[in-house]
Amino acid sequence: MSTFSVTFAAALSAAQAVAGPQTYPTGALYVIATPIGNLADISLRALHVLQLVDAIACEDTRHTQGLLRSYGLERPSAQLLAVHQHNEAQAAQGIIARLQQGQRIAYVSDAGTPGVSDPGARLCAQVAAAGLRSIPLPGASSITSALSVAGCVPPHGESSGFVFYGFLPTKASERHTAIAALAHEPRTVVLLEAPHRIQDLAAQLKILGARSVSLAREITKQFEQIVTLPAQEASDWLAQEPQRSKGEFVVVLHPCAQEAGDSGEHDRVLQLLLAELPTKTAVKLCAEITGGSRNALYERALELKNAG
């Protein structure tokens, strides 16, 4: 028994005690989030279901077997089914056949939550098309982990929200086009980047100027590092120490602050719309036209109406 197996023996016992009494339907696919670095980030319900299912579909059978071994849950190789980006559509049919026989099947990607920049979406879509059920077991995600500490505060009290872009195109021309488009996206944007391309990305993000950017690398791992700084300084910060460019990155572009110079244009559009439309409709259209904050525009609309 490995050191990890001994360490997690108490967790396996707790998983059985806490999650065991719950109901786990047969003929269902259990989509399980797995740790992105720190093995202790596995959930008790995930540990229980990984013991319960008839087979485990996984992005990489060798990687998953190593993960299971760490928890003392090693499986016979016949119970590990390879389902990855190159065979997902075809492999799904074999999974569906097992589910139709009443088996419980788990699906895990190499790390994090399946279907989020990882395989799993096509599998779940085909399972649903077959009239079968996919059951999520939430857990680790580099995306939500980075967002939770980035401190992205929407301007003017707008409701929070973000755009998940994932990895940018690798071709230079397509990459430049994508970054230029992101420069005009007012909401929080989440990108993923590999270590060998992070410096290039940081250099291209200089066009965002003083817009805040959070760089999060090696989340939950020993050398985890998260920093927030103006986009125009990110490249220099990475270059200061070679280790800062190592590891997988989540890059969070903070929401755009409203430009002070926009206020005159916003007022002009608002006044034109308010002359013909109800306040809420005018504000909604003005926000769509100018990209301004709906809450701020509504307050300004009231001010303009009262002043008139």
Side-chain angles (χ1 to χ4, degrees), residues 62-133:
R62 292 170 298 179
H63 177 92
T64 298
Q65 186 70 282
L67 180 70
L68 295 171
R69 188 178 297 118
S70 297
Y71 298 122
L73 300 175
E74 189 168 359
R75 289 265 184 158
S77 57
Q79 293 181 9
L80 297 180
L81 315 173
V83 181
H84 46 74
Q85 63 176 339
H86 302 296
N87 76 341
E88 188 174 355
Q90 297 79 11
Q93 296 308 308
I95 303 298
I96 289 169
R98 287 172 175 260
L99 297 177
Q100 290 171 333
Q101 295 168 9
Q103 292 188 23
R104 299 182 184 96
I105 307 294
Y107 181 71
V108 298
S109 55
D110 285 351
T113 302
V116 183
S117 199
D118 273 344
R122 289 187 178 87
L123 173 60
C124 288
Q126 291 186 236
V127 167
L132 298 164
R133 184 178 177 187

Side-chain angles (χ1 to χ4, degrees), residues 240-264:
Q240 286 171 9
E241 296 181 21
Q243 66 267 28
R244 290 179 177 175
S245 296
K246 295 180 179 179
E248 299 298 320
F249 281 81
V250 180
V251 179
V252 181
L253 312 184
H254 289 232
C256 285
Q258 183 178 340
E259 297 289 341
D262 289 343
S263 59

Side-chain angles (χ1 to χ4, degrees), residues 22-263:
Q22 299 176 21
T23 300
Y24 300 92
T26 56
L29 177 71
Y30 292 82
V31 181
I32 303 176
T34 54
I36 56 177
N38 192 317
L39 290 174
D41 289 336
I42 193 78
S43 75
L44 294 179
R45 192 156 68 107
L47 288 174
H48 178 73
V49 171
L50 288 171
Q51 297 176 82
L52 177 69
V53 294
D54 298 289
I56 300 173
C58 42
E59 185 177 1
D60 184 322
T61 57
R62 292 170 298 179
H63 177 92
T64 298
Q65 186 70 282
L67 180 70
L68 295 171
R69 188 178 297 118
S70 297
Y71 298 122
L73 300 175
E74 189 168 359
R75 289 265 184 158
S77 57
Q79 293 181 9
L80 297 180
L81 315 173
V83 181
H84 46 74
Q85 63 176 339
H86 302 296
N87 76 341
E88 188 174 355
Q90 297 79 11
Q93 296 308 308
I95 303 298
I96 289 169
R98 287 172 175 260
L99 297 177
Q100 290 171 333
Q101 295 168 9
Q103 292 188 23
R104 299 182 184 96
I105 307 294
Y107 181 71
V108 298
S109 55
D110 285 351
T113 302
V116 183
S117 199
D118 273 344
R122 289 187 178 87
L123 173 60
C124 288
Q126 291 186 236
V127 167
L132 298 164
R133 184 178 177 187
S134 295
I135 299 174
L137 274 69
S141 165
S142 63
I143 298 159
T144 54
S145 295
L147 279 171
S148 70
V149 296
C152 295
V153 181
H156 308 295
E158 275 193 340
S159 60
S160 59
F162 69 94
V163 178
F164 174 60
Y165 195 104
F167 287 96
L168 291 168
T170 55
K171 290 185 178 179
S173 59
E174 295 176 1
R175 195 174 177 86
H176 283 296
T177 300
I179 291 174
L182 292 177
H184 298 288
E185 171 56 65
R187 294 168 293 179
T188 298
V189 179
V190 182
L191 306 173
L192 302 178
E193 192 53 276
H196 64 281
R197 285 197 295 264
I198 187 61
Q199 184 59 258
D200 177 61
L201 173 61
Q204 292 175 315
L205 290 180
K206 286 183 178 181
I207 65 171
L208 301 181
R211 183 172 177 177
S212 293
V213 171
S214 293
L215 304 177
R217 72 180 186 93
E218 297 291 84
I219 296 177
T220 80
K221 300 176 183 177
Q222 182 179 357
F223 298 107
E224 175 184 274
Q225 190 171 27
I226 303 170
V227 62
T228 298
L229 69 175
Q232 59 199 11
E233 298 177 11
S235 180
D236 290 340
W237 181 84
L238 287 168
Q240 286 171 9
E241 296 181 21
Q243 66 267 28
R244 290 179 177 175
S245 296
K246 295 180 179 179
E248 299 298 320
F249 281 81
V250 180
V251 179
V252 181
L253 312 184
H254 289 232
C256 285
Q258 183 178 340
E259 297 289 341
D262 289 343
S263 59

Side-chain angles (χ1 to χ4, degrees), residues 263-287 289-290 294-308:
S263 59
E265 177 66 8
H266 291 176
D267 280 2
R268 187 184 72 82
V269 175
L270 259 182
Q271 288 171 328
L272 290 171
L273 294 172
L274 287 169
E276 304 292 336
L277 299 168
T279 302
K280 287 186 178 179
T281 304
V283 167
K284 178 178 180 294
L285 289 175
C286 186
I289 293 169
T290 66
R294 188 176 297 187
N295 289 345
L297 289 171
Y298 186 79
E299 292 176 7
R300 181 57 180 159
L302 295 180
E303 292 174 0
L304 293 172
K305 292 185 72 174
N306 291 334

